[in-house]
Amino acid sequence: MFGEPIVRVEDPRLLTGQGRYLDDLGRGALAAAFVRSPYAHARITGIDVDGALDVDGLVAVYTWEDLPGRVGEPLPLLIPHPALTHGRTAYPLARDVVRHVGEPVVMVVARDRYLAEDAAGRIQVTYQPLPVVVGIEKSASAEYLVHDDVPGNVGAFLVQEVGDAPAAIDAAPHVLEFRLDIERSASMPLEGRGVYARWDADDESLRVYSSTQTSTSVRMAIAAKLGLPPAKVEVIAPDVGGGFGVKIVHPWPEEVLVPWAARLLNQEVKWAEDRREHFVSSAHERGQVQFVRVGFDDEGRVLGLDVKILHDHGAYTPYGIIIPIITSTQLLGPYKLGAYRAEVTSLYTNTLIVTPYRGAGRPQGVFCMERTMDRIAAHLHLDRIDVRAANLIQPDEFPYDQGLIFQDGRPLIYDSGDYPALLRKARDLIGWDSFGSLRAVATAEGRRIGIGFACYVEGTGVGPYEGGHVEVDSSGRVHVSTGLTSQGQGHQTVFAQIAAAELGVPISDVQVTTGDTRRFGYAVGTFASRAAVMSGNAIALACRRLKEKALRIAAEALEADPRDLEIADGQVYVRGNPSASIPLRTVAVLSNPLRYAFDEEAQRATQFATGSSPDEPPIAPGEEPGLEGKDYYSPVRSTFAAGAHAAIVETDPDTAEIRILRYAVVHDCGRLINPRIVEGQIHGGVAQGIAGALYEKMEYDSDGQLLNASFMDFLMPYATEIPRIEIDHLETPSPLNPLGIKGAGEAGVIPVSAVIASAIEDAEGFEISAMPISPDDLFRLRRH
Amino acid sequence: MNERVYEIGLTVNGVPRSATAPARRLLSDFLRHDLGLTGTHVGCEHGVCGCCTVLLDGDPVRSCLTFAITVEGREVTTVEGLADPDGTLSPVQQAFQDSHGLQCGFCTPGFLCTVTALLRDNPAPTEAEVLEGISGNLCRCTGYQNIIKAVLSLSRGVSRTAQENGAGNATTQRGSGDHVR
Amino acid sequence: MKPPPFDYHAPRTLGEALDALAEAGGDGKVLAGGQSLIPLLNMRLAAPGQLIDINRVAALDTLVREPGGIRVGALARHSRVERSSGHPLLRQALRHVAHPAIRNRGTVVGSLAHADPAAELPAVLAVLGGWVEVASVSGTRTIPAASFFAGPLESALLPGELAVSAFFPSLPPRSGSAFAELARRHGDYALAGVAAVVELDASGAVTSARIGCLGVAATPLVLDLTPYLMASGAFADAVAYVRERAEPDGDIHASAGYRRHLLGLLAARTLSEAHATASSPGPSAHRITGGTTDE
Ligand SMILES: Cc1cc2nc3c(=O)[nH]c(=O)nc-3n(C[C@H](O)[C@H](O)[C@H](O)COP(=O)(O)OP(=O)(O)OC[C@H]3O[C@@H](n4cnc5c(N)ncnc54)[C@H](O)[C@@H]3O)c2cc1C
Ligand code: FES
Ligand code: FES
């Protein structure tokens, strides 16, 4: 069960159109639309809603002035950090000043979305444009400010340091200095964001559906904003059409405003984001400039690395500085460096906010480290993989303390891994050592090919915790719930696999619920490749509790020692004597002493039927009725997955087109719960990585207009653009958790830009320092 | 400002359906919100993602780029109409499950409609034909690997060994990159 | 992203369509396949007061092979024309237009009327020297390709006019055509593209060589390269001439310089391919055989 590539249990629903995504709900609900700023930076001088008033079906129009109390306050700064000295967040509707194109200014509620857009289109907002700050350099120059009260546009300044890197570099036999750039992209799930709220006036309670990666935290935020007791707020993440990070941000303005309006109007209200809104009003990621200084010895061992990172975090910092923290720590990868210093300056610009997108700062860090390895190899005329090998942490060095503080506030200590084996496998899989002859053949044909390589380490399964609840009902069905949410990762399958394996029940008896605060109120969310590690282990622990209880009750019924009992196929039986058995469903009945029978089976648990001792209470002290188990998993720190990727790329000598001929992945995420699902995650990650390396970037002009805010111009790859992906696994269990697993969700995307840059560089013979790279870029580089 | 509405009738999945809607109602919204058939998804509303693909008289079209009123009286098949009435998955649906060809499932209805028509018109597509056939549908989750595998598993032209080797056979090289054609 | 309201007309005959268009005047828009118009409506970049939906005008749903070429009615969809026109260049070009599902709705004539400078079909019509038949309540007129494309997204159609059909002349015997383009993603509008036609005399000498370029000027750019191809070995000069004549704009997808560079490559490729087909013996696959219908 555990470890088997079984097909997914969620599929039949999703394949037949029975999935329920946000906009599939609330058919009769009113629709919200927003008037959003067309300016990147401007003062609002007037809002005239008169034109909208004669739109048939208009229900309400709101501006910031209409928002009472906490609803009108700035949105929370979710992850404060001492280095984030000038954190700023937006108001749900702009107050006086707008700081990026797409910032919501007016909310419209109408009978349907067509009419809401009609009304929104007739609202006249007048603006006085202010100077616009776009691009890292322009922000750093601080000629103009994004926020008047943030000097230098600097939101945060952070230093991560082990040893004295500048001194180590000065003393090193070889020193290189260079600049690396990565552009902005975005998560871009095919389903946008969305919120649907129902206020129950009689019960004074609110039910909210949100296409979110964290329903529990959305609930807390809404309760706080609306002044409701959390017990009166339910938040449910229905089927979610992809997240990839963007849906972890919360509460979005709309997540506050839609429930607020639903309550105020006492009518159901829904907002389903459209694609254009998603481009300009959700979040982006990746834009960074890195200045590298590295000192190394003759074997290519890094003696000191000093990186200055300029990070563009957009107009506001609701998610803190998690991304540059991750970049500056995960940059180290599988290597042990002599000394290291990273200095992050996180800057405001008049562009959309920047929050984690699958990989979350790691692709930039890995790009930096792996480009550095390639530069060292080129400088010393050494093999690129050999240089990496010379710097690797060895298998006997775990746990390995990198001496930094990671994104969870805990020391950056790698728990386990076998990096030399990873390198070896990837080298073999791509055929690194025979590439020379392949190239010779290609060259003879007038073709240009190159090979690239990169590795990474990914901290996964960050805390603080997740919980699991498991219950067996009197018909033998097993109900598993956990608070974190799903966006396609197959949680219903893998969590069922874990529960079925732990409990000894058929997987078809297990039903899993995620992201529903009615079922599980405490949770953190789905991000940082943490779901399988956190909830998977919590569910395993909860199952173990349930099992212990089940065995105790069954032992009494079977008059056996619990230690002699086992569960298989939903039956508790005495080991070695299968005829002495009792179904788990009967144990469930017995676990709940009854006064009233509701069916024949239940009669066994009523007062005159049980043979319980007349001298003891029906529920022993410390016990609870019901066959349930609940537990939490809270790790001391993250567990570290790792991998190595390699690719062979062809560049067209005439057209400068770039084609990936082969793409190979070796991946270690500890024990695999379901290899098929893990491979699916890798496929998706690599495809997003290729997208970010060759196709996707957010094109802002100097006025802060996003020039490619559509799928026509933001070039998300189709099947025709993605090569076949070859995968091999390594399984180094994590010693940190009961199941020995590590996260796998983000891994695929992390090293791709580094690998592709490495391969193009190899094909072309000149340095590649900026990604993504288009044929036009390559064409221009060739002319230099 | 009262907008004129029309009674619009279509045959959807073999069943005559009708609802009242203005002329500007997109077929995607008509199916989803007026008829309650929410299996057809909407990912861009400008024709690029393919999530909204349905079959119009058997041929795949973008329901977000079609007014319901334009196709009044015609036959539309949505994802809800692909399985047997008894609930048995269609071969295409089954292949997507068997090959893990979906993750979040949002793009899936569009792919299923597209592939259903593709295999009807060409029961033995090569890998290149499969790629061309699904080249108008975006998926953000799967990297297309298992979608291609699912379709090839149904192609009468592709040998079993090639299928078992994964997405197509190892000698054809599917490259990423831009396309001179 | 929902379309704005409009008054809707669903004529069933050409006459009704022209009446509706005449009445609407400058406020009217024709809806054919909707594959270009509806995205604009959904983004509210267009807001016509009157929409004249020609999808029920059966008389426009035609594809007629005539001795001199193929007449494509206003309702003939890309996919049908691709399958059945029998015109090699049209088929070669249509394969590059968008994706199959879009081609099932989009019309050839709609694509011409839309006049996107990066679209394939305007360049094909232009290089073939075809024309568009136009009708309005006041009569009909024929607009040659050379004057049909007035600017980016701007055709010579006047308010009240409907493009009824487009005529794509067939190629003479001993000729060859080729089409190539480069797009960032499969199915995208091209960064640059070329439709080439080469004609030979009985001795195999080039009598005519023309290309229609897309994506490199405000309207399809037709260049006569006959003198270069007549002189053997003047290929490089032809390429240089093509690059010199192009006036591409740079945009977020490609710089002007890169488009110009590509155009030269594509011109060379298509010319040599067209030349090779023209020279290959055997029954000319390039003639459109007579007849009236298709499929
Ligand atoms: C994702 C996507 C990708 C695409 N890629 C390409 C591509 O690579 N190459 C390409 O060429 N096209 C592409 N297209 C556009 C597609 O080819 C359209 O079908 C075509 O441009 C317009 O044809 P239509 O019938 O859909 O016209 P419509 O959208 O109905 O109309 C377009 C315009 O032409 C006018 N019009 C249409 N027919 C007539 C007529 N008979 N008389 C007068 N005016 C008329 C309309 O009023 C409107 O202004 C793409 C479209 C999409 C959605
Ligand atoms: S929603 Fe129709 S193509 Fe994207
Ligand atoms: S499965 Fe999520 S977009 Fe395709």
Side-chain angles (χ1 to χ4, degrees), chain A residues 27 110 327 486 613 688:
Chain A
R27 206 169 148 193
T327 302
S486 302
S613 159
Q688 280 178 319

Side-chain angles (χ1 to χ4, degrees), chain A residues 642-708:
Chain A
H645 293 196
I648 298 177
V649 160
E650 174 162 4
T651 56
D652 189 301
D654 298 326
T655 62
E657 288 167 283
I658 302 160
R659 211 174 129 82
I660 300 171
L661 300 180
R662 282 188 62 203
Y663 200 97
V665 174
V666 180
H667 180 244
D668 184 354
C669 62
R671 287 180 69 205
L672 300 174
I673 308 169
N674 183 326
R676 186 198 299 260
I677 286 178
V678 170
E679 292 197 355
Q681 291 291 312
I682 294 173
H683 291 157
V686 170
Q688 280 178 319
I690 290 170
L694 298 177
Y695 296 98
E696 295 172 359
K697 78 184 194 200
M698 293 293 168
E699 294 274 5
Y700 275 103
D701 71 8
S702 57
D703 291 330
Q705 298 294 335
L706 185 59
L707 299 179
N708 58 343

Side-chain angles (χ1 to χ4, degrees), chain A residues 487-530:
Chain A
Q487 307 87 41
Q489 301 90 336
H491 292 152
Q492 291 183 346
T493 305
V494 292
F495 294 159
Q497 281 181 275
I498 291 171
E502 290 286 337
L503 293 178
V505 298
I507 194 162
S508 53
D509 285 352
V510 185
Q511 290 171 357
V512 177
T513 305
T514 61
D516 184 340
T517 65
R518 294 172 301 181
R519 294 288 304 281
F520 207 98
Y522 289 93
V524 183
T526 301
F527 57 92
S529 307
R530 69 191 295 279

Side-chain angles (χ1 to χ4, degrees), chain B residues 12-148:
Chain B
V12 184
N13 302 325
V15 181
R17 302 286 305 266
S18 77
T20 308
R24 60 168 156 159
R25 184 77 89 238
L26 298 170
L27 178 60
S28 46
D29 287 333
F30 187 77
L31 292 167
R32 290 173 47 74
H33 302 309
D34 295 300
L35 300 183
L37 291 168
T38 55
T40 299
H41 296 156
V42 165
C44 72
E45 295 182 303
H46 51 276
V48 186
C49 75
C51 289
C52 68
T53 306
V54 299
L55 303 179
L56 177 65
D57 294 332
D59 291 326
V61 301
R62 305 289 206 231
S63 62
C64 76
L65 297 188
T66 310
F67 292 122
I69 197 166
T70 299
V71 295
E72 151 98 54
R74 299 182 55 185
E75 297 237 5
V76 173
T77 307
T78 67
V79 67
E80 287 96 340
L82 298 181
D84 268 11
D86 71 359
T88 309
L89 297 182
S90 76
V92 177
Q93 289 169 317
Q94 190 60 55
F96 269 62
Q97 180 176 30
D98 293 344
S99 302
H100 187 27
L102 64 155
Q103 291 184 23
C104 78
F106 200 78
C107 68
T108 312
F111 272 99
L112 294 173
C113 288
T114 304
V115 170
T116 299
L118 172 74
L119 290 170
R120 179 202 59 209
D121 295 344
N122 178 3
T126 61
E127 183 168 350
E129 286 166 339
V130 169
L131 284 172
E132 165 70 21
I134 62 169
S135 71
N137 292 70
L138 289 172
C139 172
R140 194 58 161 170
C141 295
T142 63
Y144 306 102
Q145 307 291 308
N146 291 337
I147 293 176
I148 295 163

Side-chain angles (χ1 to χ4, degrees), chain A residues 712 718, chain B residues 46-49 62 65, chain C residues 21 28-40 54 60 74 77-78 96-99 102-103 105-116 118-122 157 161-164 181 187-190:
Chain A
M712 261 335 227
Y718 288 106
Chain B
H46 51 276
V48 186
C49 75
R62 305 289 206 231
L65 297 188
Chain C
L21 267 174
K29 265 269 174 224
V30 173
L31 174 72
Q35 305 302 287
S36 292
L37 181 56
I38 298 183
L40 293 174
I54 59 170
L60 295 174
R77 319 266 171 198
H78 296 314
H96 298 267
V97 176
H99 314 284
I102 309 266
R103 298 203 288 270
R105 289 297 295 164
T107 65
V108 166
V109 173
S111 176
L112 299 172
H114 192 58
D116 191 311
E120 290 79 4
L121 299 177
L157 290 171
E161 283 188 327
L162 181 77
V164 174
E181 68 174 39
D188 279 349
Y189 279 104

